[in-house]
Amino acid sequence: MSQFQPARLKGKKVLVRVDFNVPLDNDFHITDDNRIRATLPTIQAILDAGGSAILMSHLGRPKGGPEDKYSLRHLVAHLQHLLSNRMGKNIAVEFADDCIGEQAFQKAAGLLPGEVLLLENLRFYPEEEKGDAIFAEKLSKLGDCYVNDAFGTAHRAHASTAVIAQFFAPDQKMFGLLMEGEVSSAEKILHVSEKPFTAIIGGAKVSDKILIIENLLQRATDIIIGGGMAYTFKKAMGGNIGKSLCEEDRLETARQLLEKATAAAVTIHLPEDSVIASEFSAQAETAIALSNQIPEGWMGLDIGPKAQEAFSACILRSKTILWNGPMGVFEMQPFQAGTLSVAKAIAEATRLGAFSLVGGGDSVAAVNQFGFADQVSYVSTGGGALLEYFEGKELPGIAAIRS
Ligand code: AMP
């Protein structure tokens, strides 16, 4: 069983792996609480069903032992506030100074239905990232059931994300609601995608996206390539790209990907024109040029108007859309238009009935920044995990629940 079944959680102590790896400022205030908010529906469903929730997570990259700046204690007050607001009543969040050991065990054992316990940072133990089975077994003793709601770490075979699942019977482990939404959206894209299926891949580097492009060549009808990585392709095709971003050691890979696409009858769309700049700066002089005729000393920092039009037309024809990576340096106002036009086209295609998934840090930041997050079908919380999923890899966090 992998499906979330709250009815099974009545009276149970539910050990939930969440991804509370949120950014904190110097005063330990949370600067972006989206990851916490994303898992509130699961916690609420457990409490509403008459279970108690024992939450465990990592935070930051501690160097193998406790460090105050990575303590999950800093999250307690805000979690309490968010949960209480959501549930319309006061929900107290208990905290255990250690994720295993006597205190954690006692606090977990004493939990009553409707109560919440947050455990200290799992990564204060190196055993967590090593996937140590003894550590995983100790964690497993804290709960009667195991729920994995941490899609962001589903690509890691860590103790709390994967190894722990073997200590629970199949009917005592399941995905949480967030994980379920992530997995079903990703599976819809990869396995039941209605055609035409357009994947839009952008960002800085070809090298980061080779595996995903290769895997998508077997599934997509169209692949749009934008962002800095497009110039490696343009150069591989014999173009002049000035001082645009280029991975010289990937020119051959780019050529091979284009050949594979032709063989697989997948249309690759590269930007015909670009917004070029004299330097990498929001104050730079800018102009429009063909992407394969960029003058010496200039660099392409966004797709141009012709590319915007062509990409939008392709997106509007699509029934399935995956977007990973911006079309340009959208953090700087003069180079935003390309990414914005893609976000707009995806929103419009979604209104027309397409299924659209946006995933990967920077494209998610872009849809949020431009206000389109609620106009696409699904915005993923998983960066690395989502990429690995679309590279065709089996994610240990998913496999462990299903096995
Ligand atoms: P990635 O992390 O590989 O998805 O890349 C995202 C980053 O690529 C963003 O910070 C963008 O500013 C950057 N980027 C996008 N297009 C370009 C470009 N044409 N030249 C340089 N950087 C770019």
Side-chain angles (χ1 to χ4, degrees), residues 3 105 367:
Q3 210 187 347
F105 194 77
V367 286

Side-chain angles (χ1 to χ4, degrees), residues 262-284:
T262 308
V266 175
T267 308
I268 300 273
H269 305 257
L270 287 159
E272 187 187 343
D273 57 352
S274 292
V275 178
I276 58 170
S278 50
E279 55 177 336
F280 191 85
S281 154
Q283 280 73 45

Side-chain angles (χ1 to χ4, degrees), residues 138-161:
K138 284 182 190 161
L139 288 171
S140 75
K141 299 279 189 248
L142 295 167
D144 308 312
C145 310
Y146 169 65
V147 169
N148 190 349
D149 213 23
F151 184 67
T153 47
H155 56 317
R156 309 279 184 219
H158 293 171
S160 69
T161 60

Side-chain angles (χ1 to χ4, degrees), residues 83-209:
L83 257 180
S84 301
N85 261 1
R86 186 180 173 91
M87 296 191 62
K89 59 181 175 187
N90 189 39
I91 304 284
V93 174
E94 230 349 272
F95 184 72
D97 284 332
D98 193 351
C99 60
I100 52 172
E102 195 50 30
Q103 190 213 38
F105 194 77
Q106 291 301 337
K107 287 198 170 184
L111 276 187
L112 296 173
E115 292 185 341
V116 180
L117 171 66
L118 176 64
L119 304 176
E120 183 54 289
N121 196 338
L122 294 158
R123 289 196 189 165
F124 286 173
Y125 287 88
E127 289 90 335
E128 162 65 358
E129 288 184 84
K130 286 186 190 141
D132 184 89
I134 296 169
F135 177 69
E137 190 174 11
K138 284 182 190 161
L139 288 171
S140 75
K141 299 279 189 248
L142 295 167
D144 308 312
C145 310
Y146 169 65
V147 169
N148 190 349
D149 213 23
F151 184 67
T153 47
H155 56 317
R156 309 279 184 219
H158 293 171
S160 69
T161 60
V163 181
I164 192 171
Q166 65 186 283
F167 300 107
F168 292 89
D171 62 345
Q172 289 170 347
K173 55 184 174 183
M174 58 188 87
F175 295 141
L177 289 169
L178 170 65
M179 186 82 157
E180 210 166 68
E182 294 276 2
V183 172
S184 68
S185 302
E187 286 185 341
K188 194 163 173 180
I189 292 277
L190 217 47
H191 299 300
V192 285
S193 46
E194 245 189 282
K195 304 282 184 306
F197 167 14
T198 299
I200 307 145
I201 308 292
K205 288 175 154 186
V206 181
S207 45
D208 291 343
K209 309 281 165 91

Side-chain angles (χ1 to χ4, degrees), residues 202-205 208-209 226-229 231 244-245 280 299-302 324-331 362-363:
K205 288 175 154 186
D208 291 343
K209 309 281 165 91
M229 59 189 279
Y231 301 102
S244 304
L245 214 57
F280 191 85
M299 62 179 91
L301 293 183
D302 193 9
N324 175 278
M327 296 292 99
V329 185
F330 74 101
E331 300 93 332
D362 280 314
S363 25

Side-chain angles (χ1 to χ4, degrees), residues 365-387:
V367 286
N368 284 328
Q369 183 180 324
F370 299 141
F372 285 95
D374 57 354
Q375 296 177 50
V376 300
S377 308
Y378 198 84
V379 179
S380 176
T381 58
L386 193 82
L387 272 186

